Structure formats: C-alpha cells, structure tokens
C-alpha cells in the first residue's frame, strides 16, 4: 500500500459544504434582492427614456377653388389700351369690397366685354386714372372678368374705394342694384365663389371682420385711423356712397355664408377675425395714390 505524503508547507483543503437547510433559507432573500435590482433597473430606464410626443394635428386649411376668370385680353383691345405704369402690389388680400357699376341692367351677357371696355375708357379718360379701378367684374350671368392689371392670383392694389385700396380687392357687379332691382342668383353665386377663393388665400373667413387702416380722409375714417370692417364688405362700409345698391347690399349676408361654405367652414360657426391689415407693406410700381369710383 502506497502512502502519500503531504508537501511541506501545504495544508490540507477541505471542501466547504453548505448545509442544504441553510441554502434553502437563503433562497427567499436572494429572490427578493434580484427582484429589487430588476425593478430598480426598470424604473431607471423609464425615467431616462424620452416619452413619445403626440403628433400635432395639422391646421385645417379653409381655402376654396379658383373660379374661372376671363383675362383682360378678352375685353381690352389695342384701340382702347393706353400706356400705364407697372401694377402695385400688397402682401395679401384680407378683405374684399363689393360694388356695382351703376350701368344699365338689360344687357346681353355677350356684351359684357364691351361694357367693361367702356368703363375702362371712362375711368382712364375723363377721370385720368392709370387703369380700371376694380380688380374684378362680374356680369349678370355669373361670368367673372379680370379687371385691373397685375394678375388675378396676385394681391394687386386696386383703385376702387377711397382709403382702403391696400390689402383689399374690389369686385364690381355689372349693373345697377338699387332698391327694388332684381339681383340675379348667378351674379351673387359668382361673387361668393370669387370672394371665397381670394380671401381663402390669406386664411380669411368671409363672415369675419378685418382691421384696415384708412389711407386718406375721403373715406368714412380719418387718415391713419384703424377701421374694423366686414371681410366681405360693401363699398358703402368704407366710403360715403349708396354703392353697391340697397338690393345687392341686402344680399351680402347670404354671399358671406355661401363663401364660407365654399371654404369648407361650418355653417353658423363663430368666425375668427381676419388677419390684421393695419400695416401696409411696401408696394411696387407707380407711386401715385389710387383713386376710387364715386358710385
């Protein structure tokens, strides 16, 4: 029998044995510590994570389709046209003024270009204006014509009402619409469609009001005064006149509501004030102050 001797200096190591009962007693404590560590890790992860921000809802764009517009070339011939300065522009249109031309009503709609040409000749001739004052004209059949030069899609500075030609557009109904005169539905529908489109470009509710600054004291307001006017106004709202005639003026509330519907707005909804028009942006072109019809 072989006897093994221990190496000098070496000590016999006996395996450490943990009693089974003691190990079983530690298990609940170990589980609790592990659970606590996992919980702490989860809390720290949630605290440092970036919460998901709900996506912002896009603003509803209340715009309307551009109605058909007959260009100037359809009514302005070379015999009538005269040299004129470049158009003047504002930054946007926040209000429109409705006029009537104070001309006969019993015309054939095919004669509308001739009537507009006659109005242009009178305003640029006897009145010595640089162009026809209205931005648009509408005949009794609902046809819309481009009036003043500069482009129907642009914010062209008109010459249609004293004091409030900046940031506005003038829409003239061809005819006379005083008390008792019938107002064709096609005419008012076309005005509503035109106003809905033009005001929609600036986000203006046709039923709202707009703040405009009077440029001269010939209007109802002193020069420099801020006026709160309907965004879809009658000429009489800004100037001492009977234009656009009592019969057409009485239809303006209906025109506003129709224009608002064409912009996709809720009927009866409280309108929000139109963007402020108090600051006149620098205009380009001829510096002459636009004049306005006295109708």
């Amino acid at each position: 029998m072989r006897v093994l001797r221990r190496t000098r200096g070496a000590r016999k190591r006996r395996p450490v044995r943990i009693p089974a009962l003691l190990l079983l007693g530690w298990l609940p404590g170990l589980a609790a510590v592990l659970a606590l560590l996992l919980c702490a890790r989860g809390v720290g992860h949630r605290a440092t994570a970036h919460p998901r921000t709900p996506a912002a809802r896009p603003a509803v764009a209340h715009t309307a389709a551009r109605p058909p517009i007959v260009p100037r070339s359809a009514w302005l011939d070379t015999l009538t046209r005269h040299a004129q300065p470049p158009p003047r522009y504002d930054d946007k249109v926040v209000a429109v003024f409705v006029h009537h031309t104070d001309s006969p009503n019993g015309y054939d709609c095919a004669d509308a270009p001739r009537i507009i040409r006659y109005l242009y000749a009178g305003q640029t001739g006897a009145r010595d204006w640089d162009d026809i004052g209205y931005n648009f004209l509408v005949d009794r059949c609902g046809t819309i014509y481009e009036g003043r030069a500069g482009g129907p899609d642009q914010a062209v500075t008109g010459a249609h009402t004293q004091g409030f030609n900046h940031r506005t557009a003038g829409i003239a109904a061809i005819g006379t619409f005083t008390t008792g005169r019938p107002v064709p539905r096609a005419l008012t529908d076309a005005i509503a469609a035109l106003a809905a489109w033009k005001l929609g470009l600036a986000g203006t509710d046709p039923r709202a009001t707009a703040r405009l600054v009077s440029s001269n004291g010939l209007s109802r307001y002193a020069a420099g005064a801020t006026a709160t006017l309907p965004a879809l106004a009658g000429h009489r709202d800004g100037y001492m006149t009977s234009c656009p005639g009592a019969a057409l003026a009485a239809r303006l509330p209906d025109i506003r509501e129709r224009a608002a519907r064409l912009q996709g707005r809720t009927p009866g909804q409280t309108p929000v004030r139109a963007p402020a028009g108090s600051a006149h942006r620098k205009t380009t072109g001829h510096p002459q102050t636009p004049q306005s019809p006295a109708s």
Side-chain angles (χ1 to χ4, degrees):
M1 180 176 180
R2 187 175 181 179
V3 178
L4 297 176
R5 295 182 178 180
R6 289 184 297 173
T7 305
R8 183 177 294 178
R11 299 179 64 182
K12 185 178 180 180
R13 296 180 181 177
R14 295 180 180 181
V16 179
R17 296 180 181 179
I18 302 174
L21 292 177
L22 183 60
L23 181 61
L24 291 175
W26 287 358
L27 285 178
L30 290 173
V33 171
L34 181 60
L36 182 61
L37 290 174
L38 291 175
C39 181
R41 183 182 178 185
V43 170
H45 179 70
R46 287 194 295 270
T48 57
H50 297 286
R52 181 177 297 177
T53 302
R57 295 183 179 179
V60 179
H62 292 291
T63 57
R66 181 186 190 272
I69 300 173
V70 179
R72 281 168 61 93
S73 58
W75 59 264
L76 187 57
D77 56 27
T78 55
L79 295 177
T80 309
R81 183 187 294 109
H82 68 87
Q84 63 184 60
R88 296 175 291 274
Y89 297 95
D90 290 299
D91 62 323
K92 57 186 173 182
V93 170
V94 300
V96 298
F97 283 90
V98 177
H99 306 257
H100 71 174
T101 58
D102 202 21
S103 53
N105 289 4
Y107 57 89
D108 190 306
C109 289
D111 288 335
R114 178 186 60 80
I115 297 171
I116 299 173
R117 192 162 50 247
Y118 173 80
L119 294 169
Y120 170 88
Q123 293 180 2
T124 59
R127 298 187 179 184
D128 197 28
W129 297 359
D130 57 0
D131 193 0
I132 192 169
Y134 312 114
N135 298 96
F136 303 95
L137 298 98
V138 183
D139 68 16
R140 65 186 185 87
C141 293
T143 303
I144 302 171
Y145 292 86
E146 176 188 8
R148 196 168 182 82
D153 295 339
Q154 304 300 317
V156 179
T157 305
H160 55 90
T161 181
Q162 290 284 5
F164 298 108
N165 289 306
H166 288 283
R167 283 188 155 190
T168 69
I171 303 174
I174 301 176
T176 302
F177 299 100
T178 50
T179 303
R181 298 292 184 94
V183 181
R185 177 63 182 269
L187 172 69
T188 57
D189 284 352
I191 293 175
L194 180 56
W197 167 67
K198 199 65 179 175
L199 293 176
L201 297 177
T204 300
D205 187 332
R207 304 164 300 179
T209 57
R211 289 169 58 85
L212 301 170
V213 174
S214 176
S215 61
N216 64 68
L218 297 179
S219 70
R220 289 183 180 271
Y221 300 84
T226 299
T228 300
L229 300 173
L232 198 162
H235 188 191
R236 60 172 65 183
D237 290 317
Y239 182 66
M240 296 291 293
T241 178
S242 60
C243 177
L248 182 52
R251 298 290 297 277
L252 291 181
D254 293 335
I255 295 174
R256 293 184 188 109
E257 287 295 333
R258 178 166 179 78
R261 289 196 299 271
L262 291 174
Q263 288 185 348
R265 299 182 185 273
T266 304
Q269 184 182 27
T270 302
V272 179
R273 177 179 292 173
S278 57
H280 292 165
R281 297 293 183 90
K282 182 178 180 180
T283 56
T284 60
H286 194 267
Q288 175 183 340
T289 301
Q291 302 180 67
S292 70
S295 60

